Amino acid sequence: MSKPERQLALNLFIYPGGHHEAAWRYRESEPRRVLDISYYQELARRAEAAKFDAIFFADGPSLPENVRYSSRVRFEPVTWLTAIAAVTSRIGLIGTASTTYNEPYNLARLFASLDHISNGRAGWNIVTTSDAGAAQNFGLPEHPPHGDRYDKAREFLDVVTKLWDSWEDDALVADPASGVFADGDKVHRIDHVGKHYRVRGPLNVSRSPQGRPVYVQAGSSEDGRSFAARHAEAIFTAHQTLASAQAFYADIKTRAGALGRRPEHIRILPGISPFIGSTQAEADRLEEEIDALIQPAASLEQLKRMLGVDLSGYDLDGPFPRHVIDRQGPNGVASRFQLVMDIVDREAPTLRGLIKRLAGARGHWVLAGTPDRIADAIQTWFESGAADGFNVMPPWLTGGFDIFVAEVVPILRKRGLFRAEYAGTTLRDHYGLPRPESGYAVARRRSA
């Protein structure tokens, strides 16, 4: 088979213990290793050996309330990724950091440092944070509204971009003979004064190998889509159906094109959480075995965060109480709220049925099947205008990932859909993204 022009992008999305809510209870899981860095280093090395584009680590600046029943402790992402960088050489390193609960200068310095340490493999997953419980951890009386968070995020990204551009590529001279360490004319104060931030700059880290880390975004609300179309270079998204994924894909690419961007420079990567068996029956039994470990109290707490309503007093085996959901409330604009309500409207599940669906991967696509069925589904979405690749979300770790690499990846390679070797060294190389030039260098050239 001739090699197609497009190649799948595959990330390993690492969630402590696995993506199923009850994964930590599964007999093959290792829940006591969630704070053992060697556990994650082993996973990263396996993903790199399989030639995955990146590993991705999600994060939030607060401890969810359902920690009694769920594995929720985790490392701070940049610290964690730096430890991963030390034992890998090619795989991309994507970490989450909030624009609501960070300062631009510190975040710019952290990710620029990671990009240097990893020789150009850093990516920043830009989030505004949906968890209202984070506010009290940062001295705020309440969590900012959705629209306000995105307004702040736009300025935050503007500041961080200026800081990452503040050193031109050739500003660092380091010439002992002349005594010149840096060309001061090519190191720029940004002197940003805006609605939310006042930042002088320049950054105290020179321009990083990728020019700047890859911009990743995960929101699918109206604000999130607008932000992603303008700024994101990779988008992590959740869809339950091919039609939904196709509509999102077309919308983002169209919006980006209208803004003067090249749509092919945006990688759209839905999540897929596969239960894999040698037969369909075996895959179904595996899913049922892990589903049986669900603790409804934990799942109802997760549902409360998504919908903004406590449903713990309702009959789990009765119809979903749709009448108590406020579509016009503050949660109604969130993409995950819409995804959950779409499931309710499309499938009319019981409350127990819904929490079972969401326990699998928090609203991402859960699919049980043979390796060929999983590969077929990935190929269909990839070739039908629904995805440029996927975030692979193993239901449990490490076995759920090992099976995917051993059984599904070879099929994708045989079909010419996924690389056998890396073609470059940076995350931008893996995604096929250009290296941006410093905005200050562009302005210098235009004024010359």
Side-chain angles (χ1 to χ4, degrees):
M1 179 182 294
S2 62
K3 182 179 178 182
E5 291 185 6
R6 287 177 74 225
Q7 289 272 291
L8 276 166
L10 293 178
N11 299 330
L12 169 59
F13 183 172
I14 298 180
Y15 214 69
H19 284 272
H20 194 287
E21 183 73 23
W24 70 275
R25 301 182 67 199
Y26 181 53
R27 53 187 166 79
E28 295 185 15
S29 293
E30 301 177 88
R32 294 191 180 276
R33 294 191 70 192
V34 296
L35 292 177
D36 175 1
I37 191 59
S38 67
Y39 168 70
Y40 301 104
Q41 289 172 326
E42 290 165 13
L43 274 167
R45 284 195 291 259
R46 291 178 202 178
E48 184 170 74
K51 313 307 177 190
F52 270 47
D53 294 71
I55 56 171
F56 166 51
F57 199 59
D59 189 48
S62 64
L63 181 67
E65 294 178 7
N66 63 347
V67 69
R68 177 178 178 87
Y69 300 113
S70 303
S71 175
R72 287 289 183 262
V73 294
R74 65 191 66 189
F75 289 115
E76 186 281 317
V78 177
T79 306
W80 181 87
L81 288 169
T82 302
I84 301 297
V87 298
T88 57
S89 61
R90 302 291 280 277
I91 195 163
L93 308 169
I94 302 172
T96 299
S98 172
T99 57
T100 306
Y101 297 109
N102 277 292
E103 288 295 322
Y105 192 92
N106 282 345
L107 185 142
R109 188 182 184 203
L110 283 167
F111 277 91
S113 298
L114 176 63
D115 207 45
H116 277 290
I117 290 167
S118 66
N119 294 314
R121 295 184 283 140
W124 170 32
N125 181 38
I126 307 162
V127 299
T128 64
T129 302
S130 60
D131 184 6
Q136 283 71 44
N137 291 337
F138 293 84
L140 298 180
E142 60 184 9
H143 191 50
H146 186 275
D148 291 356
R149 297 199 308 273
Y150 270 97
D151 180 56
K152 188 175 182 181
R154 285 184 280 271
E155 186 179 345
F156 190 110
L157 188 64
D158 182 37
V159 175
V160 167
T161 300
K162 290 175 181 175
L163 288 168
W164 281 335
D165 283 0
S166 61
W167 288 64
E168 296 181 39
D169 284 321
D170 55 352
L172 183 62
V173 178
D175 179 22
S178 67
V180 176
F181 183 77
D183 183 343
D185 291 336
K186 296 183 178 181
V187 181
H188 305 273
R189 286 172 49 168
I190 70 170
D191 290 322
H192 177 90
V193 178
K195 178 179 177 182
H196 302 285
Y197 301 106
R198 296 174 64 92
V199 180
R200 185 185 70 176
L203 196 63
N204 61 351
V205 181
S206 62
R207 199 148 200 262
S208 72
Q210 293 189 106
R212 53 179 178 259
V214 173
Y215 292 156
V216 182
Q217 194 263 354
S220 298
S221 66
E222 180 58 34
D223 282 329
R225 292 180 188 221
S226 175
F227 187 89
R230 184 171 295 278
H231 302 292
E233 295 170 295
I235 301 172
F236 298 164
T237 183
H239 296 281
Q240 292 284 321
T241 68
L242 174 62
S244 170
Q246 288 172 320
F248 178 83
Y249 187 99
D251 181 47
I252 292 295
K253 300 277 185 168
T254 299
R255 291 184 191 219
L259 291 168
R261 298 187 64 192
R262 294 180 61 178
E264 66 271 24
H265 289 165
I266 302 174
R267 295 287 177 265
I268 297 179
L269 308 169
I272 182 172
S273 187
F275 289 87
I276 305 168
S278 58
T279 65
Q280 185 63 48
E282 182 180 303
D284 290 339
R285 283 196 300 271
L286 173 61
E287 184 175 17
E288 290 166 3
E289 182 179 357
I290 298 182
D291 278 347
L293 302 174
I294 293 171
Q295 300 187 85
S299 296
L300 286 168
E301 184 61 41
Q302 175 178 270
L303 191 59
K304 179 181 176 181
R305 291 198 305 275
M306 291 179 175
L307 300 181
V309 178
D310 184 358
L311 301 176
S312 59
Y314 289 85
D315 180 5
L316 289 176
D317 296 309
F320 179 82
R322 195 181 184 288
H323 63 282
V324 303
I325 306 302
D326 181 10
R327 283 187 177 268
Q328 305 305 317
N331 286 70
V333 296
S335 57
R336 204 54 56 94
F337 176 99
Q338 299 292 344
L339 183 147
V340 173
M341 294 310 298
D342 284 347
I343 295 174
V344 171
D345 293 341
R346 185 174 61 249
E347 303 174 17
T350 63
L351 183 54
R352 188 187 302 276
L354 181 63
I355 64 175
K356 180 179 176 181
R357 286 286 305 277
L358 298 176
R362 304 172 309 285
H364 287 276
W365 186 27
V366 178
L367 182 64
T370 63
D372 278 303
R373 185 185 179 207
I374 303 300
D376 287 346
I378 288 173
Q379 183 171 2
T380 296
W381 282 42
F382 179 61
E383 294 179 345
S384 300
D388 295 309
F390 289 87
N391 273 322
V392 179
M393 304 169 61
W396 87 98
L397 291 171
T398 61
F401 180 62
D402 295 335
I403 294 169
F404 184 90
V405 168
E407 302 291 339
V408 179
V409 169
I411 297 172
L412 298 174
R413 286 204 178 109
K414 186 176 181 180
R415 297 179 185 182
L417 297 170
F418 187 62
R419 68 171 69 88
E421 295 293 339
Y422 288 115
T425 60
T426 71
L427 179 55
R428 290 186 177 277
D429 290 336
H430 303 340
Y431 281 165
L433 300 174
R435 184 183 187 276
E437 189 177 7
S438 165
Y440 295 96
V442 171
R444 172 194 294 277
R445 187 175 65 252
R446 288 175 177 171
S447 64

